[in-house]
């Protein structure tokens, strides 16, 4: 079985994170993961990227956290892949299967409603995973759901303070028959032996983001609460 982190941030790009991309690669290597997917807050979320810059420069800056993690990962033998966390005012969607080139080719992707954005991701063969759908926090003013645009649901999130938020997410996934994922939502240094490492197991090795997307599409994935 292979262990993948599906949800994590870097200080370079996510304004609420303190762990750099390189540091993230190191701590996940030490924690025994095979693959990590960097999912920084997208340009409509809590980003460090200056939104007044030209689109190409915004995309360049958005990819820096991933690129730093990937560079360190290559040095120490950790597979590092690209994803993003799209913010729909309180509803967070993890997006896998699009890359820097796709972002550069879609300069208007934030000038459309969330449904059209999801359609574009699907046309590009990507997937949408609803992150922590029942989390309660002061930045979440209402709970919103897009079952017709969702491929999977994150049923364990280490950032969920209340276990029942995870239980409700599991109920939602069960109701719709969604594939279930888990993620740490890691922003910071995580204590060794902590219970804050979540992730997914796959039988097949994850080498590319397409491998991960396929695992989601075919449900060849097992959500892991903590390791
Ligand atoms: Zn954050
Ligand atoms: Zn997150």
């Amino acid at each position: 079985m292979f262990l993948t982190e599906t949800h994590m941030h870097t200080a370079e790009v996510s304004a609420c994170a303190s762990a750099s991309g390189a540091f993230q690669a190191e701590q996940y290597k030490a924690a025994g993961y095979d693959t990590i997917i960097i999912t920084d807050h997208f340009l409509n979320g809590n980003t460090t990227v200056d939104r007044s810059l030209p689109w190409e420069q915004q995309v360049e800056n958005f990819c820096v956290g991933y690129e730093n993690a990937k560079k360190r990962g290559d040095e120490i033998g950790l597979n590092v892949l690209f994803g993003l966390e799209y913010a729909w005012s309180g509803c967070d969607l993890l997006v896998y299967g699009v890359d820097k080139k796709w972002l550069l080719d879609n300069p208007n992707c934030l000038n459309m409603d969330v449904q059209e954005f999801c359609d574009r991701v699907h046309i590009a063969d990507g997937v949408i995973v609803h992150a922590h759908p029942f989390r309660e926090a002061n930045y979440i003013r209402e709970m919103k759901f897009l079952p017709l645009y969702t491929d999977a649901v994150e049923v364990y999130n280490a950032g969920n303070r209340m276990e029942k938020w995870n239980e409700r997410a599991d109920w939602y996934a069960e109701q719709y028959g969604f594939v279930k994922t888990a993620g740490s939502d890691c922003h910071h240094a995580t204590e060794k032996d902590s219970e804050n490492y979540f992730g997914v197991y796959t039988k097949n090795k994850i080498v590319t983001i397409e491998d991960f997307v396929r695992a989601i599409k075919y449900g060849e994935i097992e959500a892991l609460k903590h390791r």
Side-chain angles (χ1 to χ4, degrees), residues 7 9 39 41 85 132 185 187:
H7 186 169
H9 298 267
T39 53
H41 295 298
E85 187 171 22
H132 45 71
D185 208 349
H187 287 67

Side-chain angles (χ1 to χ4, degrees), residues 3-4 15 75 102-103 135 163 183 197 200 203 225:
L3 181 58
T4 298
E75 289 164 0
W102 185 88
L103 294 176
R135 177 182 288 175
E163 184 53 29
Y197 282 116
V200 296
K203 204 149 51 55
K225 192 167 173 182

